[in-house]
Amino acid sequence: DTLYSHVELLPESVYPLAVLDASGRFRHIYPTQAAYRGNVCMKVVKQYEPKRYDGLTIRLARRSGAKSAWGKAEEADFLAKECAKAIADAPERTWLVIHHKNIDLEERLLEADPKLCFVAIKYLTFGQHTATNEFSDCNGVLIAGTLHYPAPAYHALDSAARDLQADDAKPDGGELKVLRQSEVRHHLFQALCRGTVRRTRSGRCGNMLAHVI
């Protein structure tokens, strides 16, 4: 069992506060906080015309890219080869590789395919994959696994949104599943939007190829 709680870090004087979050449309945490704490008001900014994503191609590898998978030697070798092949198939692109912390993926990719040293590749770990324009020139994005929190972290996040303490009734598994799925979508969306897809020209996103494991 894990004991978890939360404390208020922001003073009441900080409100009203405008939060501009592109993930707001699908993060379950916002409507939960709005319903239980009443200090969030969701507003959807309407565009004259919705942004089109014709220029984005996503290729999905149906294989676990969890941190635990990268921790197994045989599985890590297979994943590294998959990542290297994805980049080698489009060497003319400038690539951004987003991966779990404490994994030397650059070394692994070069071991899988030494010719990748001639490809423009940048690396970024989860935790640094939001709120930056530094990689907006990358027209290839490879997400080497999805980010999942430990189960107690989802409980703590939900408890903070509902203003619950350790001895209060906890949400059921279905509610936590919805929260977990929405956070996975949030991190995938943020990771993808580090590349050229974040750019907009004549209502369309920038051309980008994405690989997701």
Side-chain angles (χ1 to χ4, degrees):
D1 292 339
T2 302
L3 178 65
Y4 50 87
S5 185
H6 68 276
V7 295
E8 298 291 337
L9 296 178
L10 295 177
E12 288 293 327
S13 59
V14 76
Y15 301 108
L17 177 68
V19 179
L20 305 180
D21 187 354
S23 297
R25 73 195 83 173
F26 43 71
R27 288 193 82 181
H28 186 63
I29 199 69
Y30 289 129
T32 300
Q33 186 169 337
Y36 284 84
R37 303 187 67 163
N39 60 356
V40 172
C41 180
M42 299 290 292
K43 295 289 185 180
V44 177
V45 178
K46 294 183 179 180
Q47 298 175 316
Y48 291 105
E49 288 187 23
K51 182 175 179 178
R52 294 179 59 98
Y53 287 87
D54 308 62
L56 173 63
T57 300
I58 300 178
R59 296 174 181 171
L60 177 64
R62 296 185 178 276
R63 185 116 181 173
S64 173
K67 197 169 185 178
S68 57
W70 283 99
K72 302 173 183 177
E74 185 175 344
E75 187 67 14
D77 287 343
F78 177 86
L79 291 171
K81 290 177 182 177
E82 286 289 297
C83 292
K85 183 179 184 303
I87 295 174
D89 285 344
E92 73 285 356
R93 293 181 179 266
T94 298
W95 284 91
L96 172 64
V97 177
I98 300 174
H99 59 93
H100 299 289
K101 293 180 179 179
N102 302 320
I103 298 174
D104 192 348
L105 196 53
E106 182 175 3
E107 181 179 344
R108 286 185 177 274
L109 293 186
L110 289 175
E111 287 177 355
D113 187 349
K115 290 183 291 185
L116 292 185
C117 66
F118 300 108
V119 180
I121 307 175
K122 302 176 183 180
Y123 294 86
L124 189 66
T125 59
F126 281 117
Q128 305 294 323
H129 67 294
T130 64
T132 175
N133 290 318
E134 182 179 352
F135 307 98
S136 61
D137 63 320
C138 295
N139 56 0
V141 171
L142 190 151
I143 304 176
T146 51
L147 180 62
H148 295 269
Y149 301 147
Y154 293 112
H155 279 275
L157 190 59
D158 183 84
S159 294
R162 298 171 186 264
D163 198 19
L164 301 178
Q165 298 302 322
D167 55 350
D168 290 326
K170 300 301 182 291
D172 61 34
E175 292 174 321
L176 287 176
K177 181 179 180 181
V178 172
L179 173 61
R180 179 179 63 81
Q181 291 175 339
S182 77
E183 289 300 294
V184 170
R185 289 196 297 269
H186 155 61
H187 289 299
L188 279 174
F189 177 75
Q190 290 292 330
L192 286 171
C193 288
R194 293 314 101 211
T196 53
V197 72
R198 69 184 291 103
R199 297 179 176 178
T200 303
R201 186 172 184 178
S202 299
R204 298 175 183 268
C205 72
N207 178 273
M208 195 178 90
L209 172 63
H211 282 265
V212 181
I213 294 179

